[in-house]
Amino acid sequence: MNLKGKVALVTGGSRGIGRAVSVRLAGAGAFVIVNFARNEEAARETLRLIGEAGGDGKIARFDVSDDRESTDAIAALIKEKGRIDILVNNAGESRDGLLVRMKDRDWDRVIDTNLKGAFHCCRAVAYTMMKQRGGRIVNVSSVVALSGNAGQANYSASKAGLVGLTKSLARELAPRAICVNAVAPGLIDTDMTSAMTEEQRETVLAGIPLSRLGTPDDVAGVVLFLASDEAGYITGQVIGVNGGLYM
Ligand code: NAP
């Protein structure tokens, strides 16, 4: 897949799935803007890996949940690069807890980052993509958007919200040849899932037909495809990347 001449923005590109996506897009020729919120050292490591893959990019700090900060940062990046072709809304966090103990601040934080953050970034790139008459938006949802998960009311609601956002924007932006899709990863081996106990992992593994956790690269390959010209007739879809955990 050839992304030469394209400019991509990957939110949360400093670690995990976002890092793998950044490296894959850059390896295919895109100039990749690696967004992060706090962890500059990790973002620099992503940039180093991009260089190792023969690609080019830069890092950009902004908090996607902050409307002004993300909108201004994206406007400045588009001005600098002159275009934006690919947006991957990957930045995300989880603050798990059972409903009766869930605090409003944990609900709000997860919705603000995972769902409202994606809305901010989509809105910030839409006008330029519309003028260009083309673009790709890939939202990183989750298997729990479709299956639900006890203890993740806030997280699964945010990820289900992303599915609605994806389908609505797919319809709204289709006349300008902008494709909007989502990937719904299952259990992927990253910092986000590292807090799981061995017992919890074993329980989930027992329900995965392919009998292994996913890797960030498993997800990145699908995002690369959705970002490419080859996926020009795919929009409004949610692609599961979950080893068969949910069918
Ligand atoms: P991760 O390793 O915890 O990385 C999270 C990334 O998001 C980091 O780059 C972090 O930046 C960034 N981030 C968090 N809050 C942000 C904010 N407000 N503004 C900008 N960036 C922010 O997570 P991951 O496992 O790779 O997950 C990536 C995405 O996949 C998330 O949306 C997650 O919900 C989704 N997902 C993950 C799994 C899984 O099993 N791992 C499954 C399904 C879906 P800093 O480095 O600066 O903190």
Side-chain angles (χ1 to χ4, degrees), residues 104-134:
D104 275 35
R105 63 168 181 273
D106 292 333
W107 174 271
D108 290 343
R109 183 68 212 157
V110 168
I111 299 287
D112 284 354
T113 301
N114 298 6
L115 180 56
K116 206 169 176 193
F119 157 66
H120 291 150
C121 296
C122 288
R123 191 176 53 186
V125 302
Y127 184 68
T128 306
M129 285 187 180
M130 285 164 77
K131 261 198 334 196
Q132 289 170 189
R133 296 193 169 272

Side-chain angles (χ1 to χ4, degrees), residues 11-18 35-40 42 62-65 89-93 109 113-114 140-143 155 159 184-193:
T11 68
S14 46
R15 293 184 281 124
I17 294 170
N35 158 254
F36 67 101
R38 289 164 289 267
N39 205 332
E40 182 168 342
F62 58 86
D63 180 340
V64 296
S65 70
N89 283 309
N90 164 81
E93 65 174 297
R109 183 68 212 157
T113 301
N114 298 6
V140 181
S141 179
S142 167
V143 65
Y155 183 80
K159 295 298 183 179
L187 193 67
I188 310 298
D189 203 2
T190 68
D191 291 348
M192 188 176 271
T193 46

Side-chain angles (χ1 to χ4, degrees), residues 20-97:
V21 168
S22 298
V23 174
R24 286 294 281 266
L25 296 182
F31 181 93
V32 178
I33 300 159
V34 179
N35 158 254
F36 67 101
R38 289 164 289 267
N39 205 332
E40 182 168 342
E41 205 180 313
R44 290 200 180 284
E45 174 60 10
T46 301
L47 202 56
R48 193 190 65 76
L49 293 168
I50 284 175
E52 215 173 75
D56 195 9
K58 66 178 285 183
I59 63 170
R61 200 211 75 78
F62 58 86
D63 180 340
V64 296
S65 70
D66 185 318
D67 174 20
R68 190 88 339 262
E69 197 175 299
S70 49
T71 304
D72 288 353
I74 293 171
L77 289 161
I78 292 175
K79 196 165 174 213
E80 179 190 325
K81 297 306 298 176
R83 57 186 303 113
I84 184 86
D85 303 283
I86 298 159
L87 166 66
V88 182
N89 283 309
N90 164 81
E93 65 174 297
S94 58
R95 293 188 181 197
D96 298 352

Side-chain angles (χ1 to χ4, degrees), residues 178-226:
I178 300 165
C179 297
V180 188
N181 292 289
V183 290
L187 193 67
I188 310 298
D189 203 2
T190 68
D191 291 348
M192 188 176 271
T193 46
S194 62
M196 287 177 84
T197 64
E198 208 40 52
E199 199 185 338
Q200 285 170 323
R201 276 177 184 246
E202 289 305 320
T203 309
V204 183
L205 265 178
I208 302 175
L210 287 177
S211 305
R212 67 169 176 88
L213 299 192
T215 65
D217 220 39
D218 286 327
V219 183
V222 179
V223 175
L224 171 62
F225 170 64
L226 290 173

